[in-house]
Amino acid sequence: MAAVLALTAVGLSLVFGVMRVVNVAHGEFFMLGAVAAWFVTSWMPGPPWLGFVATLLLAPLAVAAVAALADRLVLKRLNYDPEATIVATIGLLYILQQAALSLYGPDARPVPAPFELRLQLPWFGYSGYKLFVVAAAGLVLLAVWLIMTRSRIGLVMRATQIDRPTAQAFGIDVDRVYAGVFAMGAGLAAIAAVLIVPIQQAHYLMGGDPLLLSFIVVIIGGLGSLRGTLVAALLIGLSDGVISVFYAPTLAKILATLFVALVLVFRPQGLFGAKA
Amino acid sequence: MKALALHLALIGALLAVQVVLPPYHYTNVARVMVLAVYAMGYNIAFGYTGLLSLGHALFFAAGMYATGLAVHSAPALLALPLGMLAGAAMALAVGLLALRTAGVAFMIVTLMFAQAGYLTILYYGPVTGGDEGFVLAREARMLAGLDLSADGPRYLTALAIFGVALLANLALVRSGFGRVMVAMRENEERSRMLGYDPFRTKLIALTLSGLYSGTAGAAYALMFGYVGASFAAIQYSILPLLWVLLGGAGTVLGPFFGALLMFYLIDLSSSVTDASNLVVGVALLVLVLFAPKGILGTIRERGARWLP
């Protein structure tokens, strides 16, 4: 699911790019989005598509609110010191995971897809929902790209990314930008989770894999470069399936992690990144 | 002098306290001492040299598996140093690559190497027992005539290893090399200008750290008779970080008190709630927010300047 991976990874990349914060709890925001999706759809009356639309709006907002709160309460007080924030987000990871386990339970629960549609092509059938996921993810990514490059908010974000003190001197409220970026990154992960949850089930430990994969994507694409992240997400999302056809999945994971470590050591700017 | 007396006093106290400890805590304190050796190793890299690694479980597991697999066919007296060396060699190999990066990249690279190590253990399931691990037979756990599956010898062995590690740690940080390590943490560029080689210093520090971690892993395997993949998982890279932060990064006694406190905090909280991860998470957050220097770091700041 390269499209969903791209969404999650762009969220992580955005947070790192603007804030220089490695958010280890990113996978947990993904998980929170899926869990929130389950809560909303199971409480929402009416046809599945109505619940799904509500989820798509509510879950990212809820997760973004949690993230903004975490930013205000924890990260801001640490002055966004890179090492301290990593430790803090590890703490956050444990707290969120445990909270999900206690409140939601250890079971994996399914969320109904908003519609059942199979596209019957002559040689194979294809789930219409999966195509919808790809289209929706593409739309969201396009929106993110437009916000970052064309709007005032994006301009402010990029200014903060390039030179924080100067941005501050020009009257930009850097604290609000950071809270917004952190919330937006988490919200993107939540959207990705809501989209994927009718295919996978919601589970309190589901944050691990997307976290690892997004890390891989963000590093290979070049830390903080959105375009590199996108290319890498497509590449890895597609190749992940191909590799695990030929090798055992564990071996594929071993090779992938070693590869990422070596990329960081020898090409810290990423395979597609520009000069460091 | 004062510092040496304090550390000897702690070892003496641990020797004396075994008379009064009930059996349950007797085993626990032995466990804490071994884990404290691990934490001390972490502290050499993180607390003194400023290398925040998220992959120390790899070194711990290297020691543990090297020893655990070797005792099948060799005496424990030979397997123990083998485990220690495995930890150091693993740290040296990782360091040669990972130390080309710094800061955030270093954390991610060590994390990735440790993750690869963990997956490798799972992959070679027939040899390593995979997820379930394996149990060491009682006969295999005889260290030079001491039966490590019995409470008394186990406690004394743990104390001996802990004592040697503690005094060696004290000697290390008071030596010239120890000061160069701190210099690397404080200002790498300036130490380079003064003619010290940052890469070499960090590599030696990381290897020593791996030696400590491997020792702890090897001792843990022999003393508690179990070797499992969970000791290589990310959790065991985070825990020493937590212990060191709690006790005080860059203090010799901090890792021990951090491990002791955290062990009993989780132990006590598990009778109230099963949310032990919550305790770990909250402890991490509270520490980075309100007490980044830890217990002994704060004491040192408030007057006891001589505390090493």
PDB file of all heavy atoms in Angstrom, chain B residues 216-242:
ATOM      1  N   ALA B 216      27.202  -8.039  31.014  1.00  0.00           N
ATOM      2  CA  ALA B 216      25.907  -8.142  31.681  1.00  0.00           C
ATOM      3  C   ALA B 216      25.041  -9.209  31.023  1.00  0.00           C
ATOM      4  O   ALA B 216      24.410 -10.020  31.704  1.00  0.00           O
ATOM      5  CB  ALA B 216      25.199  -6.788  31.654  1.00  0.00           C
ATOM      6  N   GLY B 217      25.030  -9.217  29.670  1.00  0.00           N
ATOM      7  CA  GLY B 217      24.222 -10.206  28.970  1.00  0.00           C
ATOM      8  C   GLY B 217      24.690 -11.616  29.263  1.00  0.00           C
ATOM      9  O   GLY B 217      23.887 -12.509  29.553  1.00  0.00           O
ATOM     10  N   ALA B 218      26.025 -11.820  29.232  1.00  0.00           N
ATOM     11  CA  ALA B 218      26.582 -13.153  29.485  1.00  0.00           C
ATOM     12  C   ALA B 218      26.262 -13.604  30.904  1.00  0.00           C
ATOM     13  O   ALA B 218      25.826 -14.736  31.136  1.00  0.00           O
ATOM     14  CB  ALA B 218      28.090 -13.124  29.262  1.00  0.00           C
ATOM     15  N   ALA B 219      26.450 -12.689  31.871  1.00  0.00           N
ATOM     16  CA  ALA B 219      26.180 -13.040  33.266  1.00  0.00           C
ATOM     17  C   ALA B 219      24.698 -13.336  33.458  1.00  0.00           C
ATOM     18  O   ALA B 219      24.327 -14.266  34.173  1.00  0.00           O
ATOM     19  CB  ALA B 219      26.610 -11.897  34.180  1.00  0.00           C
ATOM     20  N   TYR B 220      23.857 -12.547  32.796  1.00  0.00           N
ATOM     21  CA  TYR B 220      22.410 -12.747  32.933  1.00  0.00           C
ATOM     22  C   TYR B 220      22.022 -14.141  32.446  1.00  0.00           C
ATOM     23  O   TYR B 220      21.241 -14.841  33.081  1.00  0.00           O
ATOM     24  CB  TYR B 220      21.661 -11.681  32.132  1.00  0.00           C
ATOM     25  CG  TYR B 220      20.233 -11.492  32.552  1.00  0.00           C
ATOM     26  CD1 TYR B 220      19.879 -10.466  33.414  1.00  0.00           C
ATOM     27  CD2 TYR B 220      19.235 -12.351  32.098  1.00  0.00           C
ATOM     28  CE1 TYR B 220      18.568 -10.292  33.821  1.00  0.00           C
ATOM     29  CE2 TYR B 220      17.917 -12.184  32.493  1.00  0.00           C
ATOM     30  CZ  TYR B 220      17.591 -11.153  33.347  1.00  0.00           C
ATOM     31  OH  TYR B 220      16.298 -10.988  33.748  1.00  0.00           O
ATOM     32  N   ALA B 221      22.607 -14.547  31.298  1.00  0.00           N
ATOM     33  CA  ALA B 221      22.274 -15.869  30.753  1.00  0.00           C
ATOM     34  C   ALA B 221      22.664 -16.965  31.734  1.00  0.00           C
ATOM     35  O   ALA B 221      21.893 -17.886  31.998  1.00  0.00           O
ATOM     36  CB  ALA B 221      22.988 -16.071  29.420  1.00  0.00           C
ATOM     37  N   LEU B 222      23.880 -16.850  32.319  1.00  0.00           N
ATOM     38  CA  LEU B 222      24.355 -17.901  33.223  1.00  0.00           C
ATOM     39  C   LEU B 222      23.574 -17.904  34.534  1.00  0.00           C
ATOM     40  O   LEU B 222      23.241 -18.953  35.079  1.00  0.00           O
ATOM     41  CB  LEU B 222      25.840 -17.710  33.518  1.00  0.00           C
ATOM     42  CG  LEU B 222      26.796 -18.055  32.386  1.00  0.00           C
ATOM     43  CD1 LEU B 222      28.224 -17.777  32.794  1.00  0.00           C
ATOM     44  CD2 LEU B 222      26.633 -19.524  31.995  1.00  0.00           C
ATOM     45  N   MET B 223      23.246 -16.707  35.021  1.00  0.00           N
ATOM     46  CA  MET B 223      22.658 -16.644  36.356  1.00  0.00           C
ATOM     47  C   MET B 223      21.174 -16.952  36.366  1.00  0.00           C
ATOM     48  O   MET B 223      20.656 -17.461  37.350  1.00  0.00           O
ATOM     49  CB  MET B 223      22.920 -15.271  36.963  1.00  0.00           C
ATOM     50  CG  MET B 223      24.389 -15.165  37.351  1.00  0.00           C
ATOM     51  SD  MET B 223      24.962 -13.529  37.606  1.00  0.00           S
ATOM     52  CE  MET B 223      23.899 -12.949  38.744  1.00  0.00           C
ATOM     53  N   PHE B 224      20.480 -16.601  35.293  1.00  0.00           N
ATOM     54  CA  PHE B 224      19.045 -16.829  35.307  1.00  0.00           C
ATOM     55  C   PHE B 224      18.631 -17.907  34.317  1.00  0.00           C
ATOM     56  O   PHE B 224      17.453 -18.224  34.191  1.00  0.00           O
ATOM     57  CB  PHE B 224      18.300 -15.520  35.067  1.00  0.00           C
ATOM     58  CG  PHE B 224      18.622 -14.520  36.149  1.00  0.00           C
ATOM     59  CD1 PHE B 224      19.579 -13.545  35.950  1.00  0.00           C
ATOM     60  CD2 PHE B 224      18.015 -14.617  37.388  1.00  0.00           C
ATOM     61  CE1 PHE B 224      19.902 -12.663  36.960  1.00  0.00           C
ATOM     62  CE2 PHE B 224      18.335 -13.739  38.402  1.00  0.00           C
ATOM     63  CZ  PHE B 224      19.282 -12.758  38.188  1.00  0.00           C
ATOM     64  N   GLY B 225      19.641 -18.451  33.611  1.00  0.00           N
ATOM     65  CA  GLY B 225      19.410 -19.671  32.852  1.00  0.00           C
ATOM     66  C   GLY B 225      18.467 -19.540  31.681  1.00  0.00           C
ATOM     67  O   GLY B 225      17.949 -20.525  31.188  1.00  0.00           O
ATOM     68  N   TYR B 226      18.233 -18.325  31.222  1.00  0.00           N
ATOM     69  CA  TYR B 226      17.320 -18.181  30.088  1.00  0.00           C
ATOM     70  C   TYR B 226      17.900 -17.216  29.064  1.00  0.00           C
ATOM     71  O   TYR B 226      18.427 -16.160  29.414  1.00  0.00           O
ATOM     72  CB  TYR B 226      15.954 -17.697  30.559  1.00  0.00           C
ATOM     73  CG  TYR B 226      15.023 -17.339  29.425  1.00  0.00           C
ATOM     74  CD1 TYR B 226      14.503 -18.330  28.600  1.00  0.00           C
ATOM     75  CD2 TYR B 226      14.690 -16.020  29.173  1.00  0.00           C
ATOM     76  CE1 TYR B 226      13.673 -18.015  27.544  1.00  0.00           C
ATOM     77  CE2 TYR B 226      13.852 -15.688  28.117  1.00  0.00           C
ATOM     78  CZ  TYR B 226      13.351 -16.692  27.309  1.00  0.00           C
ATOM     79  OH  TYR B 226      12.537 -16.373  26.273  1.00  0.00           O
ATOM     80  N   VAL B 227      17.813 -17.598  27.792  1.00  0.00           N
ATOM     81  CA  VAL B 227      18.272 -16.749  26.698  1.00  0.00           C
ATOM     82  C   VAL B 227      17.099 -16.578  25.747  1.00  0.00           C
ATOM     83  O   VAL B 227      16.515 -17.569  25.316  1.00  0.00           O
ATOM     84  CB  VAL B 227      19.453 -17.407  25.957  1.00  0.00           C
ATOM     85  CG1 VAL B 227      19.811 -16.628  24.715  1.00  0.00           C
ATOM     86  CG2 VAL B 227      20.652 -17.523  26.872  1.00  0.00           C
ATOM     87  N   GLY B 228      16.712 -15.330  25.450  1.00  0.00           N
ATOM     88  CA  GLY B 228      15.538 -15.149  24.601  1.00  0.00           C
ATOM     89  C   GLY B 228      15.647 -13.915  23.735  1.00  0.00           C
ATOM     90  O   GLY B 228      16.393 -12.981  24.039  1.00  0.00           O
ATOM     91  N   ALA B 229      14.882 -13.919  22.650  1.00  0.00           N
ATOM     92  CA  ALA B 229      14.965 -12.816  21.684  1.00  0.00           C
ATOM     93  C   ALA B 229      14.438 -11.508  22.274  1.00  0.00           C
ATOM     94  O   ALA B 229      14.798 -10.432  21.806  1.00  0.00           O
ATOM     95  CB  ALA B 229      14.189 -13.166  20.418  1.00  0.00           C
ATOM     96  N   SER B 230      13.598 -11.597  23.319  1.00  0.00           N
ATOM     97  CA  SER B 230      13.029 -10.359  23.860  1.00  0.00           C
ATOM     98  C   SER B 230      14.130  -9.463  24.439  1.00  0.00           C
ATOM     99  O   SER B 230      13.957  -8.250  24.529  1.00  0.00           O
ATOM    100  CB  SER B 230      11.997 -10.682  24.941  1.00  0.00           C
ATOM    101  OG  SER B 230      12.592 -11.419  25.976  1.00  0.00           O
ATOM    102  N   PHE B 231      15.271 -10.063  24.813  1.00  0.00           N
ATOM    103  CA  PHE B 231      16.367  -9.251  25.341  1.00  0.00           C
ATOM    104  C   PHE B 231      17.071  -8.463  24.233  1.00  0.00           C
ATOM    105  O   PHE B 231      17.865  -7.588  24.517  1.00  0.00           O
ATOM    106  CB  PHE B 231      17.393 -10.131  26.063  1.00  0.00           C
ATOM    107  CG  PHE B 231      16.858 -10.702  27.332  1.00  0.00           C
ATOM    108  CD1 PHE B 231      16.509 -12.031  27.418  1.00  0.00           C
ATOM    109  CD2 PHE B 231      16.680  -9.895  28.445  1.00  0.00           C
ATOM    110  CE1 PHE B 231      15.993 -12.552  28.594  1.00  0.00           C
ATOM    111  CE2 PHE B 231      16.163 -10.412  29.612  1.00  0.00           C
ATOM    112  CZ  PHE B 231      15.816 -11.755  29.687  1.00  0.00           C
ATOM    113  N   ALA B 232      16.795  -8.820  22.983  1.00  0.00           N
ATOM    114  CA  ALA B 232      17.415  -8.087  21.878  1.00  0.00           C
ATOM    115  C   ALA B 232      16.466  -7.030  21.323  1.00  0.00           C
ATOM    116  O   ALA B 232      16.849  -6.250  20.462  1.00  0.00           O
ATOM    117  CB  ALA B 232      17.817  -9.061  20.763  1.00  0.00           C
ATOM    118  N   ALA B 233      15.239  -7.010  21.824  1.00  0.00           N
ATOM    119  CA  ALA B 233      14.232  -6.106  21.261  1.00  0.00           C
ATOM    120  C   ALA B 233      14.485  -4.673  21.716  1.00  0.00           C
ATOM    121  O   ALA B 233      15.249  -4.420  22.649  1.00  0.00           O
ATOM    122  CB  ALA B 233      12.839  -6.558  21.662  1.00  0.00           C
ATOM    123  N   ILE B 234      13.803  -3.770  21.041  1.00  0.00           N
ATOM    124  CA  ILE B 234      14.001  -2.343  21.279  1.00  0.00           C
ATOM    125  C   ILE B 234      13.786  -1.960  22.743  1.00  0.00           C
ATOM    126  O   ILE B 234      14.465  -1.089  23.280  1.00  0.00           O
ATOM    127  CB  ILE B 234      13.060  -1.531  20.361  1.00  0.00           C
ATOM    128  CG1 ILE B 234      13.012  -0.051  20.744  1.00  0.00           C
ATOM    129  CG2 ILE B 234      11.655  -2.044  20.376  1.00  0.00           C
ATOM    130  CD1 ILE B 234      13.857   0.755  19.850  1.00  0.00           C
ATOM    131  N   GLN B 235      12.879  -2.659  23.403  1.00  0.00           N
ATOM    132  CA  GLN B 235      12.614  -2.388  24.822  1.00  0.00           C
ATOM    133  C   GLN B 235      13.901  -2.405  25.641  1.00  0.00           C
ATOM    134  O   GLN B 235      14.107  -1.560  26.510  1.00  0.00           O
ATOM    135  CB  GLN B 235      11.659  -3.471  25.339  1.00  0.00           C
ATOM    136  CG  GLN B 235      11.342  -3.360  26.811  1.00  0.00           C
ATOM    137  CD  GLN B 235       9.987  -2.724  27.019  1.00  0.00           C
ATOM    138  OE1 GLN B 235       9.242  -2.521  26.081  1.00  0.00           O
ATOM    139  NE2 GLN B 235       9.664  -2.399  28.247  1.00  0.00           N
ATOM    140  N   TYR B 236      14.787  -3.375  25.340  1.00  0.00           N
ATOM    141  CA  TYR B 236      16.012  -3.482  26.127  1.00  0.00           C
ATOM    142  C   TYR B 236      17.079  -2.469  25.715  1.00  0.00           C
ATOM    143  O   TYR B 236      18.132  -2.405  26.320  1.00  0.00           O
ATOM    144  CB  TYR B 236      16.544  -4.922  26.088  1.00  0.00           C
ATOM    145  CG  TYR B 236      16.103  -5.655  27.321  1.00  0.00           C
ATOM    146  CD1 TYR B 236      14.816  -6.180  27.402  1.00  0.00           C
ATOM    147  CD2 TYR B 236      16.917  -5.745  28.444  1.00  0.00           C
ATOM    148  CE1 TYR B 236      14.366  -6.795  28.551  1.00  0.00           C
ATOM    149  CE2 TYR B 236      16.485  -6.357  29.588  1.00  0.00           C
ATOM    150  CZ  TYR B 236      15.213  -6.884  29.650  1.00  0.00           C
ATOM    151  OH  TYR B 236      14.765  -7.475  30.800  1.00  0.00           O
ATOM    152  N   SER B 237      16.820  -1.714  24.657  1.00  0.00           N
ATOM    153  CA  SER B 237      17.696  -0.583  24.370  1.00  0.00           C
ATOM    154  C   SER B 237      17.210   0.664  25.098  1.00  0.00           C
ATOM    155  O   SER B 237      17.990   1.545  25.444  1.00  0.00           O
ATOM    156  CB  SER B 237      17.727  -0.291  22.869  1.00  0.00           C
ATOM    157  OG  SER B 237      18.269  -1.372  22.175  1.00  0.00           O
ATOM    158  N   ILE B 238      15.885   0.730  25.314  1.00  0.00           N
ATOM    159  CA  ILE B 238      15.298   1.897  25.969  1.00  0.00           C
ATOM    160  C   ILE B 238      15.529   1.834  27.477  1.00  0.00           C
ATOM    161  O   ILE B 238      15.798   2.854  28.115  1.00  0.00           O
ATOM    162  CB  ILE B 238      13.783   1.966  25.697  1.00  0.00           C
ATOM    163  CG1 ILE B 238      13.497   1.876  24.219  1.00  0.00           C
ATOM    164  CG2 ILE B 238      13.175   3.218  26.296  1.00  0.00           C
ATOM    165  CD1 ILE B 238      13.841   3.071  23.443  1.00  0.00           C
ATOM    166  N   LEU B 239      15.430   0.628  28.051  1.00  0.00           N
ATOM    167  CA  LEU B 239      15.508   0.503  29.503  1.00  0.00           C
ATOM    168  C   LEU B 239      16.804   1.056  30.096  1.00  0.00           C
ATOM    169  O   LEU B 239      16.750   1.837  31.052  1.00  0.00           O
ATOM    170  CB  LEU B 239      15.302  -0.957  29.919  1.00  0.00           C
ATOM    171  CG  LEU B 239      13.837  -1.409  29.903  1.00  0.00           C
ATOM    172  CD1 LEU B 239      13.720  -2.887  30.219  1.00  0.00           C
ATOM    173  CD2 LEU B 239      13.012  -0.611  30.898  1.00  0.00           C
ATOM    174  N   PRO B 240      17.996   0.696  29.541  1.00  0.00           N
ATOM    175  CA  PRO B 240      19.200   1.276  30.142  1.00  0.00           C
ATOM    176  C   PRO B 240      19.216   2.794  30.047  1.00  0.00           C
ATOM    177  O   PRO B 240      19.697   3.473  30.967  1.00  0.00           O
ATOM    178  CB  PRO B 240      20.346   0.653  29.337  1.00  0.00           C
ATOM    179  CG  PRO B 240      19.726   0.125  28.112  1.00  0.00           C
ATOM    180  CD  PRO B 240      18.326  -0.244  28.472  1.00  0.00           C
ATOM    181  N   LEU B 241      18.667   3.328  28.950  1.00  0.00           N
ATOM    182  CA  LEU B 241      18.569   4.779  28.819  1.00  0.00           C
ATOM    183  C   LEU B 241      17.748   5.346  29.970  1.00  0.00           C
ATOM    184  O   LEU B 241      18.119   6.335  30.610  1.00  0.00           O
ATOM    185  CB  LEU B 241      17.922   5.127  27.473  1.00  0.00           C
ATOM    186  CG  LEU B 241      17.510   6.573  27.265  1.00  0.00           C
ATOM    187  CD1 LEU B 241      18.733   7.463  27.234  1.00  0.00           C
ATOM    188  CD2 LEU B 241      16.735   6.739  25.973  1.00  0.00           C
ATOM    189  N   LEU B 242      16.638   4.668  30.258  1.00  0.00           N
ATOM    190  CA  LEU B 242      15.754   5.102  31.336  1.00  0.00           C
ATOM    191  C   LEU B 242      16.475   5.034  32.682  1.00  0.00           C
ATOM    192  O   LEU B 242      16.426   5.972  33.490  1.00  0.00           O
ATOM    193  CB  LEU B 242      14.519   4.208  31.329  1.00  0.00           C
ATOM    194  CG  LEU B 242      13.449   4.486  32.371  1.00  0.00           C
ATOM    195  CD1 LEU B 242      12.911   5.883  32.178  1.00  0.00           C
ATOM    196  CD2 LEU B 242      12.320   3.485  32.234  1.00  0.00           C
TER     197      LEU B 242
END
